[in-house]
Structures are given as structure tokens and as C-alpha cells.
Amino acid sequence: MPAPKPSTLGPLQPNRFRPPRGQKRVYLPNFTLTLLRTPFAPPNYATFLTPLHLNKLDLKDYLYNLYGVEVLSVRSYVQQARVRQDKPGARLPRPRRWYRPRASKKMTIEMPATSPFLYPDAPTDFTPWDKEMQERALEAREKQQKAMGAEGSRLPKEDGKTLREQAEELLKGKKAWRPGWTDWDLGGRPKGEVGAGVGM
């Protein structure tokens, strides 16, 4: 019986063992991808904030099927959060009970140089999002938290005059004293105010 001939290897095919793309069907994705602003990265690189369970193949499938983006390579890393003392929002604070928040995962994709992505400029007019009202609400919430804290009684009052200022005005004759019940009527409403449903 003749000996078998040694098999000869043909030319290498770089695309032969590439994993299938676009074949994973996900109709209702239960995750959220956040595109991060990276002004110092090249235009053919983009960074996303992804869930911890998302892998590189899932990200390539998602971008290809939804946006038609060709992804050449993906780099991912998990960033651990800093250790904190006690859990945030705990009802009963426990000192010296250390807690590490949930880690975050970031993925950076490389796209072909022929199709760069330029991140849009940051908006300068925030009127459609009502940013001023949100900032005022945040400032009022912080003031309320400080007033209700341990040092709240020592903070100066901003919404009205102090008792010392009112007493000085009375002693100097700048303001005449009158009882407070004179500003209210028998119905418990300030004088001059018409109640709801009262006809003319």
C-alpha cells in the first residue's frame, strides 16, 4: 500500500475565519449605548459607554445592523469605581462600612479611514432644554438640604429679615407695630384675596 502524500497548504485567506456578522437577531434591545465625546481621538475612532454584559461582537452587530457602520476593531476595558464609605442613599448611615459602586465598561471602535465620524459641536443655546430652570431647581434643592442639616440653624436667613433687624426698625420708629391677625379675615385668607368659586 503506497504511503499517503503529505498535504500541501494553500494560500492564507484572512477573511475565512472571520466570525459571522449581522446574524444575531435582537428585536427589542434592553440595553443603552452612550456615545462619549472624545475631542482628542482621531476621527475614525468612537468611544461608547456600554453595559457590562455587552461584548465586542454584540457591539459590532448593533452598529452594523442599525447604522450600517463598518467596525474594524474593538477595544474594551472595565473601569472600577472608587471605594466609598456606606452605600449612597442609605436610610441608616453606617460609618466604616465600605462600599464599591458598580463598575463601568467602555468600548472604543475603529472605523475605516474613508468614513470618518465628526462629533457635532456642543450647543450654546440651551433654551429648548430649559437649563436655567433646572439649575435654579438644583440650587434651591442644595440650599434646602443645607438648611435641614445639622448646621442649618446657624446659616443666615435669605428669605426675610431677622428678628434683630425687625426690632431695630421698631425701636427707631421706621415701622409701626401691629398684630399679625389684622392681615387676615375671618375665613383664614389674607385680606383682599378672593376665594375660589366665590361669585361677584
Side-chain angles (χ1 to χ4, degrees), residues 18 21 44 46 48 56-65 68-75 108-112 115:
R18 179 175 296 181
R21 179 184 58 188
N44 60 330
F48 296 89
K56 299 180 180 181
L57 298 179
D58 292 340
L59 182 62
K60 295 177 72 173
D61 268 4
Y62 182 85
L63 296 177
Y64 176 76
N65 287 293
V69 177
E70 294 283 347
V71 178
L72 301 180
S73 62
V74 183
R75 298 179 181 179
T108 302
I109 65 171
E110 180 185 359
M111 298 172 288
S115 58

Side-chain angles (χ1 to χ4, degrees), residues 3 21 33 55 57 59-60 62-63 80 108 128 136 139 159 161 168 170 190-191 193-194:
R21 179 184 58 188
L33 299 182
N55 56 34
L57 298 179
L59 182 62
K60 295 177 72 173
Y62 182 85
L63 296 177
Q80 297 292 340
T108 302
R136 291 197 299 267
E139 185 179 356
D159 56 347
K161 298 181 181 179
E168 290 178 355
L170 291 176
K191 289 184 177 181
E193 179 181 348
V194 179

Side-chain angles (χ1 to χ4, degrees), residues 112-179:
T114 56
S115 58
F117 171 78
L118 299 178
Y119 204 97
D121 297 335
T124 56
D125 184 17
F126 296 95
T127 305
W129 298 277
D130 206 357
K131 184 179 179 181
E132 295 182 0
M133 180 176 292
Q134 294 179 5
E135 291 178 352
R136 291 197 299 267
L138 180 60
E139 185 179 356
R141 190 182 302 114
E142 291 178 355
K143 289 183 180 180
Q144 184 179 7
Q145 291 178 355
K146 290 182 180 179
M148 296 178 63
E151 302 293 334
S153 59
R154 302 181 182 180
L155 297 176
K157 296 183 178 180
E158 300 180 358
D159 56 347
K161 298 181 181 179
T162 60
L163 294 177
R164 182 185 295 274
E165 294 176 354
Q166 296 179 6
E168 290 178 355
E169 291 181 354
L170 291 176
L171 293 176
K172 294 179 180 179
K174 296 182 179 180
K175 189 175 182 180
W177 179 86
R178 62 177 182 176

Side-chain angles (χ1 to χ4, degrees), residues 13-71:
Q13 300 179 4
N15 298 331
R16 182 177 178 181
F17 301 103
R18 179 175 296 181
R21 179 184 58 188
Q23 298 182 4
K24 184 176 181 179
R25 298 182 179 182
V26 180
Y27 297 99
L28 295 175
N30 58 349
F31 55 85
T32 303
L33 299 182
T34 305
L35 178 61
L36 303 179
R37 183 183 293 272
T38 53
F40 301 103
N44 60 330
Y45 283 83
T47 304
F48 296 89
L49 183 63
T50 64
L52 292 175
H53 62 82
L54 199 73
N55 56 34
K56 299 180 180 181
L57 298 179
D58 292 340
L59 182 62
K60 295 177 72 173
D61 268 4
Y62 182 85
L63 296 177
Y64 176 76
N65 287 293
L66 193 61
Y67 300 103
V69 177
E70 294 283 347
V71 178

